[in-house]
Amino acid sequence: MTDSRSAETGKRRTTLTRERVLDAAMELADEGGIGSVTMRGLGRRLGVEAASLYNHVCGKDDVLEGLTDLVTGEIDAGVDHADWKSAMRRRAVRARGVFKRHPWASALIDSRERMSPSALAYAESVLGVLLGAGFSARDAANAFLILDSYIYGFERQRASLSLGDGIDTTQSAQEVLGAVTPDAFPALVQVAGEFAELPYDEDAVFDLGLELILTGLGERLVEIEPVEHAFRADNAPRAR
Amino acid sequence: MTDSRSAETGKRRTTLTRERVLDAAMELADEGGIGSVTMRGLGRRLGVEAASLYNHVCGKDDVLEGLTDLVTGEIDAGVDHADWKSAMRRRAVRARGVFKRHPWASALIDSRERMSPSALAYAESVLGVLLGAGFSARDAANAFLILDSYIYGFERQRASLSLGDGIDTTQSAQEVLGAVTPDAFPALVQVAGEFAELPYDEDAVFDLGLELILTGLGERLVEIEPVEHAFRADNAPRAR
DNA sequence: ACCTGAACACCGTTCAAGT
DNA sequence: ACCTGAACACCGTTCAAGT
């Protein structure tokens, strides 16, 4: 009652905060893509002039950094001490969940040059699992890089091909069939013909590729480690 | 001599052309990143008003599309009919060469939503090789998607971690060591400590991951195909 | 047919001025 | 301490006017 008339706008009930700015940025990104988070748009949504944001945030780059941080935090959440393969699987699933909720996230993460604070925490928990499973420092780093290349790369590929998420793949296949001169693109026509009938299961393909990599990394591990390590590797943390 | 004084500016010797606009865009991107290709900057480089570009190009999006086309054309060049694994390896090498010449390329390709003309040609040649090697339409599409997720994803990961290309990885590792509180990040410290001494060979890691995937895809192929197909599919031995 | 000049609707960021 | 108003240097794009 004593407060300024906040019922009118529905915003500005309290003073601005870095957190409130980032929340608004998240909403804008979820609604209209990363391109629609602008300082001016952010101000508009918060009922404030764009210039005012600079009291709580260092600039647009800081907003994007904060957004990256929030989103990689969502992926990192909840690391358990299961065997490394299922820990990596769980991580992949969580990442894909985040990309479903925030379709702009993978492009933003990929575009950042320096590691954000929560990216460090993320690396720590992944490397911790791998080292605990018996990977050498070098093999752990390799496995991390190879897995993430695939996990994040798959999402970008999916976005480029406008696959999945309620998109009718049989229809996209038919579009390709229509757009292309058949004798110049025989292989493309054959593949598109296949998918015009039976839809494409992107989740199954993702899992297939993930298992290929996990299996390959696992074989490399038993090649190198002595037997009792290889046995322990799947189940238990070793004392560090 | 009868021409307008072109010696003065060094530009504008001939009338503008879509091709000349795209060449200029390529130069701008190579020099200052994709962010520095703007319509106004393009006009400045070509000695022309930004508005004039609209006589040869449909807008900025068309410029970016043209750039994507040029660059995926470079990757696609020269498909041979070797066995599928070495064809895929060669493709990966060519892609990485392009990313070295044009560091902005992978992000641009990933950001495009619809397939450009040369992306269709690219898909045709890849799928052609895989089908020719005995892959079913479905398995060919899967292999294509999985491989490209890894190939392009690796490049984005490399860029995010500012790995390779003359960057001293032992130094970056030491930076990490300095920036982090050791007992909060034990795994990170252990791994960074390793790489502070022996540098990180990004090419070797890329090849490792690529071989994991190729091997996995190949095993899947022999599982399904009859023996004589499996033999044709790859001239490498199947015994493991 | 091609190019220019000027305009429009947007950006991010700075800074003196208000409260 | 926080916010505003106005300004600056940029964007992409349109369009009448020039040649």
Side-chain angles (χ1 to χ4, degrees):
Chain A
M1 300 240 185
T2 63
D3 208 11
S4 64
R5 313 195 30 73
S6 61
E8 198 151 35
T9 64
K11 317 283 163 63
R12 288 298 294 289
R13 48 200 164 201
T14 168
T15 183
L16 236 42
T17 258
R18 184 186 152 88
E19 198 192 350
R20 296 215 320 124
V21 172
L22 290 181
D23 285 351
M26 184 81 100
E27 289 172 24
L28 280 180
D30 286 343
E31 287 165 15
I34 198 69
S36 70
V37 12
T38 66
M39 297 303 276
R40 290 177 130 102
L42 224 33
R44 213 174 301 131
R45 156 147 322 210
L46 291 165
V48 109
E49 222 61 24
S52 310
L53 298 171
Y54 288 77
N55 288 311
H56 307 95
V57 133
C58 288
K60 187 178 185 182
D61 199 69
D62 188 32
V63 172
L64 295 181
E65 168 119 358
L67 236 35
T68 321
D69 226 49
L70 286 176
V71 114
T72 74
E74 281 189 48
I75 298 177
D76 187 33
V79 168
D80 40 29
H81 286 269
D83 65 299
W84 67 274
K85 281 190 186 176
S86 29
M88 293 302 118
R89 275 189 209 104
R90 230 189 300 274
R91 185 161 72 84
V93 169
R94 216 156 31 217
R96 282 171 63 69
V98 169
F99 299 153
K100 192 163 278 176
R101 289 195 292 282
H102 313 296
W104 44 269
S106 69
L108 179 62
I109 293 174
D110 282 356
S111 73
R112 301 268 81 193
E113 306 235 311
R114 216 107 187 94
M115 297 185 89
S116 71
S118 78
L120 285 178
Y122 177 67
E124 171 63 24
S125 58
V126 174
L127 292 174
V129 169
L130 294 175
L131 292 177
F135 280 77
S136 72
R138 216 158 200 93
D139 284 340
N142 292 350
F144 187 18
L145 177 54
I146 291 170
L147 278 168
D148 275 28
S149 295
Y150 176 70
I151 294 172
Y152 291 85
F154 190 92
E155 174 61 20
R156 312 277 47 245
Q157 217 67 25
R158 207 185 62 75
S160 298
L161 300 173
S162 30
L163 241 54
D165 271 15
I167 290 173
D168 185 356
T169 55
T170 68
Q171 188 181 321
S172 343
Q174 275 160 348
E175 277 173 26
V176 172
L177 283 176
V180 140
T181 55
D183 24 341
F185 298 91
L188 206 53
V189 166
Q190 183 178 340
V191 172
E194 167 78 17
F195 291 111
E197 293 174 17
L198 263 156
Y200 199 67
D201 184 352
E202 42 142 356
D203 288 325
V205 182
F206 177 80
D207 290 341
L208 170 60
L210 185 63
E211 291 306 320
L212 290 185
I213 295 174
L214 289 175
T215 303
L217 291 172
E219 281 169 5
R220 226 181 106 78
L221 186 63
V222 287
E223 261 174 38
I224 295 172
E225 301 293 319
V227 188
E228 71 268 31
H229 263 73
F231 187 76
R232 291 234 313 275
D234 256 354
N235 247 348
R238 51 177 310 205
R240 280 191 283 122
Chain B
M1 300 240 183
T2 62
D3 207 10
S4 65
R5 315 195 26 75
S6 61
E8 199 151 36
T9 64
K11 317 283 164 63
R12 288 299 294 290
R13 49 201 163 199
T14 169
T15 182
L16 236 42
T17 257
R18 183 186 153 89
E19 198 191 349
R20 297 216 318 125
V21 172
L22 291 182
D23 285 351
M26 184 82 99
E27 289 172 23
L28 280 180
D30 285 343
E31 287 166 15
I34 197 69
S36 70
V37 11
T38 66
M39 296 304 275
R40 290 178 130 101
L42 224 33
R44 214 174 301 131
R45 157 146 321 208
L46 291 164
V48 109
E49 222 61 25
S52 310
L53 298 171
Y54 287 79
N55 288 311
H56 307 95
V57 133
C58 289
K60 187 178 184 182
D61 198 69
D62 188 31
V63 172
L64 295 181
E65 169 119 358
L67 236 35
T68 321
D69 226 49
L70 286 176
V71 115
T72 75
E74 282 189 48
I75 298 177
D76 187 32
V79 167
D80 40 29
H81 286 269
D83 65 300
W84 67 274
K85 281 190 186 176
S86 28
M88 293 302 117
R89 275 188 210 104
R90 230 190 300 274
R91 186 162 72 84
V93 169
R94 215 154 34 217
R96 282 170 62 70
V98 169
F99 298 153
K100 192 164 281 178
R101 289 195 292 283
H102 312 297
W104 44 270
S106 68
L108 179 62
I109 293 175
D110 282 356
S111 73
R112 301 267 83 194
E113 306 235 312
R114 215 108 186 94
M115 296 186 90
S116 72
S118 77
L120 285 178
Y122 177 67
E124 171 63 25
S125 58
V126 174
L127 292 174
V129 169
L130 294 175
L131 292 177
F135 280 78
S136 72
R138 216 158 200 92
D139 284 340
N142 292 351
F144 187 18
L145 177 54
I146 290 171
L147 278 169
D148 275 27
S149 295
Y150 176 70
I151 294 172
Y152 291 86
F154 190 91
E155 174 62 20
R156 310 277 49 245
Q157 218 66 24
R158 207 185 61 75
S160 298
L161 300 173
S162 30
L163 241 54
D165 272 16
I167 290 172
D168 185 355
T169 54
T170 68
Q171 189 180 320
S172 344
Q174 275 160 347
E175 276 173 28
V176 172
L177 282 176
V180 139
T181 55
D183 24 339
F185 298 91
L188 207 53
V189 165
Q190 183 178 341
V191 172
E194 166 77 18
F195 292 110
E197 294 173 16
L198 264 156
Y200 199 66
D201 184 352
E202 44 143 355
D203 287 325
V205 181
F206 177 79
D207 290 342
L208 171 61
L210 185 62
E211 291 307 319
L212 290 185
I213 295 174
L214 289 175
T215 303
L217 291 172
E219 281 170 5
R220 226 181 106 78
L221 187 62
V222 287
E223 261 174 38
I224 297 171
E225 301 294 318
V227 188
E228 69 266 35
H229 262 73
F231 190 76
R232 284 232 324 271
D234 180 8
N235 38 25
R238 68 147 297 175
R240 315 188 21 90

